[in-house]
Amino acid sequence: MAKAIEFISVCKDFNGKGIVHDLNLSIEKGNLVTLIGPSGCGKTTTLKMINRLIEPTSGTISVHGVDISRIDPVELRREIGYVIQQIGLFPHLTIEENISLVPRMKGQRKDVCVKRAYELLDVMGMDPAVFASRYPKELSGGQQQRVGVARALAADPEIILMDEPFSALDPISREQLQDEIAKLQAELQKTIVFVTHDMDEALKIADQIVLMQHGKIIQQDVPEQILRHPKNDFVRQFVGEKRFAQAATRATIEDAIVQAVTVRPHRGIAECIQLMRTRRVNGLIVTDRSGRYLGVVDAMRVLGSFADEGATAATVMDASVPVIQPGTDVAPVIALLQADGHGFLPVVDGEERLLGAVTRGSVLKLMTPTGGEVHEDAAMASV
C-alpha cells in the first residue's frame, strides 16, 4: 500500500531539549493511525510537524512522496484537514460559513461550498435546515466538535490530523463522535493521524497504534497485536495487561453473579414478552415456587410460540441450558458462555436453587474492573 506520510530520522529540539528523537514512521494511505503515550512523549509535536505548524530540527517528512520542506506551509495546510480539542470555530461566522471557509479560500464557487457544507452537516447528524445558519455559541460542545470535523472534511483532503479532538467532551458525546469517526473512516478511507492519551479510544478507532515514550516510538502495530504481544513493561502497563492479569488471578465466578429476571412456569407467553420488554432482557429464568431452577425462556422461543394461547413458560423453556456452581473457575464459564446462544448462564446452589446468573457482560466487567458500566445485567424480578 502507498505511503501517505513518512518520517525519516526526524528530530525536534526545543531550547536545546530533545522532544522527538530519530523518529522513523510510515503511515499508509487510508489508515487511521493513533499516536498515543503519556503527557510530554512527543505525540502532539509529531502531529504538528506533518502540517508544518512545528518545523523539525533535522530529518525529512514526506507527504505522498514529496518532502514537505519544499511545499509552501499555507498551501500544505489547505490540503490537510485539522481538528483540535479547542475546535477553533470562528464565532462571527455561521456554521455553514465555518465549514465552507477552506473551500472558499481555494476559490470554489459559493453555491458549491454551501452544498458541500449542507452535505457534511447531514453526514454529522445535524439537520442543515436547523444548524447551517446558527453561530458556534448556539451549539453544545459535542455539536461544535462535529462541525470541526465537518470543516476538516470540507475541502475533501486526503490527510486529516486530529489532536485530542474529543478529550474535553462528556463521555456520551465522546463515544458518539468516536463512532462517527470510525463510520466515516470506513466510508471515506482518509488517512487520519489521531493523537490521544486514552488507550480505550485508540483501541476503538485505530487501524494502527503508535505508542510513544520520551520522544521515541516504543511499539507500532495493529491493536490486536499490541494487546496480545506488548513489547515491554511500559507497553503492558499502558494497555492494562497487568490489570487484566491481576483481575483474572483474583477473579472468582461469585464476583460475576448478577440478579436474574425470573418467571414462574405457569405464566403465559404474553406475560413473558411483557416482562422481557419492560425489563429490557432477551431471556428469562424459570423457577418454581421454592426458587429451584427449571429452565430458560428466550425471546425466540417465546415469539415462536406466541400463536399458541395455551403455551406457558414451562412448555417453551429450554431445560438443557448448562448451570454453574458458585465455585466454578472463570475459564470454563467463559467457554460455556461462548458456546451457549442465550448470553447468560444460571447459577445454582447444591439444591438447584437459583442464586442469580452470569452474563457475558458481567464476566467482561469482572475481567476489566476499571471498565465502564455493563448494561445487559438485570435486576431480580418475579411474576
Side-chain angles (χ1 to χ4, degrees):
M1 189 176 289
K3 296 175 182 177
I5 303 167
E6 187 172 21
F7 290 75
I8 300 175
S9 301
V10 172
C11 297
K12 179 59 187 178
D13 299 340
F14 282 113
N15 299 321
K17 180 181 179 181
I19 303 299
V20 174
H21 308 279
D22 195 27
L23 185 72
N24 292 281
L25 172 64
S26 293
I27 297 174
E28 294 182 350
K29 183 178 180 181
N31 273 4
L32 194 161
V33 175
T34 58
L35 305 180
I36 186 169
S39 296
C41 72
K43 54 188 183 292
T44 293
T45 298
T46 299
L47 180 88
K48 289 183 176 180
M49 285 193 286
I50 296 172
N51 63 356
R52 297 187 64 183
L53 287 175
I54 293 176
E55 298 285 356
T57 303
S58 62
T60 303
I61 303 171
S62 299
V63 170
H64 300 309
V66 179
D67 183 345
I68 62 172
S69 66
R70 301 176 181 175
I71 305 173
D72 178 80
V74 175
E75 292 302 317
L76 176 68
R77 291 168 199 154
R78 287 179 181 176
E79 298 299 324
I80 296 177
Y82 189 45
V83 185
I84 58 176
Q85 179 181 328
Q86 296 80 11
I87 307 166
L89 300 181
F90 293 100
H92 61 287
L93 299 180
T94 66
I95 299 308
E96 178 271 309
E97 290 168 339
N98 266 281
I99 295 173
S100 301
L101 186 62
V102 173
R104 289 184 182 181
M105 291 173 65
K106 295 177 70 174
Q108 293 187 15
R109 295 199 325 267
K110 181 178 180 179
D111 61 323
V112 174
C113 294
V114 171
K115 182 181 178 183
R116 176 68 172 161
Y118 275 50
E119 289 173 348
L120 287 169
L121 281 171
D122 194 49
V123 166
M124 300 311 300
M126 301 175 68
D127 185 353
V130 175
F131 292 100
S133 60
R134 291 187 180 180
Y135 289 86
K137 67 180 181 181
E138 300 177 90
L139 305 185
S140 68
Q143 289 170 338
Q144 288 185 36
Q145 200 60 274
R146 288 173 187 268
V147 173
V149 174
R151 185 175 64 181
L153 291 167
D156 198 24
E158 290 294 322
I159 295 172
I160 300 172
L161 310 180
M162 307 186 81
D163 189 4
E164 300 206 49
F166 310 145
S167 60
L169 301 178
D170 64 89
I172 293 176
S173 296
R174 184 171 186 167
E175 186 169 349
Q176 289 174 341
L177 280 165
Q178 289 167 356
D179 290 339
E180 290 289 347
I181 287 298
K183 180 181 176 182
L184 281 170
Q185 178 61 2
E187 294 174 357
L188 303 178
Q189 291 294 292
K190 300 294 185 181
T191 302
I192 300 177
V193 185
F194 191 111
V195 166
T196 181
H197 63 274
D198 184 341
M199 180 55 77
D200 289 334
E201 184 168 68
L203 292 170
K204 181 174 183 177
I205 66 174
D207 297 311
Q208 289 268 329
I209 293 175
V210 177
L211 187 53
M212 300 181 67
Q213 183 186 32
H214 304 317
K216 297 181 179 180
I217 295 175
I218 305 301
Q219 187 168 356
Q220 177 185 1
D221 215 324
V222 297
E224 181 74 7
Q225 290 302 306
I226 285 182
L227 286 171
R228 288 183 179 272
H229 305 290
K231 185 176 182 179
N232 57 24
D233 284 341
F234 167 74
V235 180
R236 291 187 191 97
Q237 186 174 14
F238 206 89
V239 302
E241 180 184 279
K242 288 182 179 179
R243 169 165 55 86
F244 297 152
Q246 290 166 358
T249 301
R250 296 192 305 266
T252 60
I253 206 62
E254 288 94 330
D255 297 321
I257 296 174
V258 297
Q259 292 180 317
V261 181
T262 64
V263 64
R264 296 288 183 258
H266 65 279
R267 293 297 181 179
I269 297 302
E271 292 174 281
C272 291
I273 291 174
Q274 178 67 8
L275 183 58
M276 283 189 275
R277 185 184 67 81
T278 57
R279 300 305 295 273
R280 298 182 180 179
V281 294
N282 59 8
L284 307 171
I285 296 179
V286 186
T287 60
D288 65 15
R289 190 175 296 275
S290 63
R292 290 180 65 252
Y293 166 75
L294 299 175
V296 167
V297 175
D298 65 24
M300 297 309 296
R301 283 176 173 263
V302 166
L303 293 173
S305 302
F306 184 72
D308 181 4
E309 294 191 9
T312 66
T315 63
V316 302
M317 70 182 184
D318 181 0
S320 67
V321 175
V323 298
I324 57 175
Q325 301 284 330
T328 307
D329 291 338
V330 173
V333 172
I334 293 173
L336 286 171
L337 283 167
Q338 289 175 325
D340 183 75
H342 300 290
F344 64 90
L345 296 172
V347 182
V348 301
D349 64 14
E351 298 180 358
E352 294 292 304
R353 286 192 298 264
L354 183 70
L355 301 177
V358 292
T359 70
R360 292 166 183 165
S362 71
V363 173
L364 177 62
K365 188 176 181 182
L366 174 69
M367 301 302 291
T368 57
T370 62
E373 292 297 317
V374 177
H375 300 292
E376 67 173 309
D377 304 336
M380 178 68 76
S382 181
V383 296

